[in-house]
Amino acid sequence: MLTDDELQRYSRQIGPGVLSRQGQERLRESSVLVTRAGGMGGPAALALTTAGVGRIVLAHGGRMITPDLNRQILGSEATVGEFRAPHFADYLRSMNRYVEVEPLDHEPDDDEALEIAARVDAVLSCPPTFDERLRLSRAAVDTSTPLIDAAQWGMMGTLIVVDPSRTACLRCVYPQEPPFEELFPVVGAISAAIGSLAALEAIKILSGCGEPIFGKMLMYDGFRGRASQIDLRRDPQCPVCGDAR
Amino acid sequence: MPLTIRLTISGRSYDAAEGVPRELQLGDGTTVDDALAELAGQLKNGSVLPDTCLVALGGAHLGTIAEHEPRSLRDGDELVIIAPVAGG
């Protein structure tokens, strides 16, 4: 049951075309893993926090560096040189006292990804490598946890929403792991846009309000101002989610 | 009868695809493989698109450049090629 204070806080997002009161309550009872909390994961975590998700597990290793400042909005000039996760968690807590934030100062390995995926209601994947993305996708499939994968490059970004074992997983989309590009170009505005859309998909899934884009890829090419939506093909032979696994 | 398809190539491949027209004029009976071969011939300075690029036709995912469902093209189709991105 939402308190009067919570009802007032969330009053602009409860009603027709947004969340139902029950949906808002479901959001409060839910938890999400966000990894990592950089250009996309940061805005996503912030949107989940202000929307009233009950618990956020925030995974991001390493220290804040100056080139992060163009997009990592949970950090600031004051946090350059500091470990990201505790500072980011403090900032999120300052934005909504009803939300629990569990910072992790590293990225989960296979076992930990599986353990965390099993105790959250959605996984929001925003890492910079396909190795990590495919790991999170495997963990999501193995624990039947919905996955939202957000990725970016330059002024474009992609969003893939997975309903495990029913729609295509990341391995179905990327049967061969694409090469890693360490220093990719990126404009912070696209990071925030894709991260916010990823959070919106999570909010719909967790609240039961709206229509998640399960089984689709949304691609927004900001350089040309074009959006495309693609129905992803699930591979029945996929070693991760296929029928023969 | 010739057909015209629209071509959408995502950001990561802009450099390789610089100068490639947004529409391709192709012959009747052309397939996705034919269109990809035509596109490969138009890339800048012998550039190649990664085999891992996602290929979609008319909003339907066909696979990657390396491995995809065979399809014939129709006039007005949109062929979308998205280079994988993992930026976080």
Side-chain angles (χ1 to χ4, degrees), chain A residues 20-231:
Chain A
S20 63
R21 192 161 160 165
Q22 294 76 17
Q24 185 69 55
E25 287 172 353
R26 283 192 289 269
L27 208 55
R28 189 182 63 174
E29 299 307 314
S30 63
S31 56
V32 181
L33 166 65
V34 179
T35 178
R36 303 184 196 187
M40 293 178 302
L46 180 59
L48 294 170
T49 299
T50 54
V53 168
R55 183 179 180 83
I56 295 173
V57 183
L58 193 72
H60 200 138
R63 297 172 189 266
M64 188 85 179
I65 55 174
T66 302
D68 293 340
L69 289 170
N70 81 327
R71 66 197 185 286
Q72 295 197 8
I73 62 165
L74 301 187
S76 68
E77 291 181 0
T79 62
V80 169
E82 303 284 330
F83 282 104
R84 295 179 182 92
H87 282 287
F88 290 4
D90 283 344
Y91 177 65
L92 293 177
R93 292 185 194 108
S94 77
M95 296 300 290
N96 191 341
R97 61 200 164 92
Y98 293 108
V99 176
E100 279 183 60
V101 185
E102 177 186 334
L104 279 184
D105 63 0
H106 57 273
E107 288 75 43
D109 61 14
D110 284 347
D111 290 342
E112 194 173 24
L114 204 57
E115 180 268 315
I116 298 173
R119 62 180 168 93
V120 296
D121 302 295
V123 173
L124 214 155
S125 154
C126 306
T129 70
F130 277 101
D131 182 47
E132 278 185 66
R133 288 177 189 280
L134 291 165
R135 175 185 303 145
L136 292 166
S137 178
R138 282 194 304 273
V141 169
D142 287 348
T143 58
S144 297
T145 308
L147 174 85
I148 302 117
D149 181 83
Q152 61 184 2
W153 190 96
M155 292 191 195
M156 67 83 71
T158 60
L159 201 59
I160 295 173
V161 185
V162 179
D163 185 357
S165 299
R166 195 181 69 80
T167 67
C169 75
L170 252 60
R171 180 64 186 265
C172 297
V173 181
Y174 304 114
Q176 295 87 35
E177 185 175 326
F180 173 50
E181 183 181 18
E182 185 169 7
L183 291 174
F184 59 93
V186 61
V187 176
I190 193 70
S191 314
I194 298 297
S196 296
L197 288 172
L200 188 61
E201 290 304 313
I203 289 167
K204 289 189 290 183
I205 292 167
L206 298 170
S207 70
C209 304
E211 298 172 8
I213 57 166
F214 282 127
K216 297 178 190 298
M217 171 191 274
L218 175 68
M219 190 272 282
Y220 181 70
D221 182 343
F223 193 79
R224 291 190 168 142
R226 291 197 52 157
S228 302
Q229 195 176 78
I230 292 161
D231 292 322

Side-chain angles (χ1 to χ4, degrees), chain A residues 38-41 71 126-130 133 149-153 156-158 168 172-181 184 191 217 219 221 223-224 226 228-234, chain B residues 6-15 17-20 22 50-64 66-69 71 78 80-88:
Chain A
M40 293 178 302
R71 66 197 185 286
C126 306
T129 70
F130 277 101
R133 288 177 189 280
D149 181 83
Q152 61 184 2
W153 190 96
M156 67 83 71
T158 60
C172 297
V173 181
Y174 304 114
Q176 295 87 35
E177 185 175 326
F180 173 50
E181 183 181 18
F184 59 93
S191 314
M217 171 191 274
M219 190 272 282
D221 182 343
F223 193 79
R224 291 190 168 142
R226 291 197 52 157
S228 302
Q229 195 176 78
I230 292 161
D231 292 322
L232 295 173
R233 185 186 62 157
R234 182 167 173 245
Chain B
R6 288 175 293 140
L7 195 57
T8 296
I9 299 177
S10 75
R12 197 176 177 184
S13 304
Y14 278 157
D15 188 45
E18 187 182 342
V20 173
R22 305 277 178 91
D51 273 354
T52 50
C53 281
L54 180 150
V55 177
L57 182 67
H61 175 210
L62 301 183
T64 62
E67 194 173 339
H68 53 264
E69 288 177 22
R71 282 292 167 88
E78 181 183 25
V80 178
I81 297 166
I82 301 176
V85 293

Side-chain angles (χ1 to χ4, degrees), chain B residues 1-87:
Chain B
M1 188 174 141
L3 53 87
T4 302
I5 64 161
R6 288 175 293 140
L7 195 57
T8 296
I9 299 177
S10 75
R12 197 176 177 184
S13 304
Y14 278 157
D15 188 45
E18 187 182 342
V20 173
R22 305 277 178 91
E23 292 186 343
L24 287 181
Q25 317 288 327
L26 303 161
D28 192 25
T30 300
T31 64
V32 167
D33 278 333
D34 297 330
L36 291 174
E38 172 69 20
L39 171 63
Q42 296 199 25
L43 296 177
K44 192 172 84 176
N45 300 330
S47 303
V48 292
L49 298 178
D51 273 354
T52 50
C53 281
L54 180 150
V55 177
L57 182 67
H61 175 210
L62 301 183
T64 62
I65 285 184
E67 194 173 339
H68 53 264
E69 288 177 22
R71 282 292 167 88
S72 295
L73 296 172
R74 291 181 299 189
D75 192 47
D77 274 344
E78 181 183 25
L79 184 64
V80 178
I81 297 166
I82 301 176
V85 293

